[in-house]
Amino acid sequence: PTGASVGMVISMSRRALENGSELVLRTPEQLNNTDGLRFGNCTRLSASIMNAAIRRDGKNIGLLSFQSYTPHAYDKHDLQLLELLADY
């Protein structure tokens, strides 16, 4: 991965840790971007991403991330369930 692609992943993770959970639903144009950090099927970006901070004693200790190649795979209800799981 390039420095730019790693930076994008770090910034997405940092946003979730600093600002709370995040639901990312990429547009077809965004899926054509070649700058993203790819893993799994390296020929394409994840179309749908949910990130939630894992907390303990009021402090962030990690990040829980679900990703799918399917567009609009998640919605706000799914993000709420991920937050419940992360807070457990």
Side-chain angles (χ1 to χ4, degrees):
T2 67
S5 63
V6 171
M8 184 170 29
V9 170
I10 291 171
S11 66
M12 186 181 293
S13 300
R14 182 172 289 145
R15 272 197 319 265
L17 290 171
E18 292 176 354
N19 302 323
S21 300
E22 181 176 42
L23 176 63
V24 177
L25 302 173
R26 290 187 170 133
T27 65
E29 294 80 23
Q30 291 170 319
L31 292 174
N32 290 327
N33 182 346
T34 60
D35 292 336
L37 179 63
R38 297 169 187 230
F39 55 92
N41 182 345
C42 294
T43 63
R44 58 186 178 166
L45 291 173
S46 296
S48 305
I49 303 168
M50 295 190 301
N51 293 318
I54 301 171
R55 297 181 181 93
R56 183 178 189 138
D57 300 324
K59 295 181 181 181
N60 292 334
I61 61 168
L63 183 75
L64 188 57
S65 180
F66 281 24
Q67 301 183 22
S68 175
Y69 298 122
T70 304
H72 300 281
Y74 311 118
D75 59 23
K76 290 181 182 181
H77 176 73
D78 297 317
L79 184 60
Q80 290 173 337
L81 291 174
L82 184 66
E83 289 170 335
L84 287 172
L85 183 60
D87 289 337
Y88 181 72

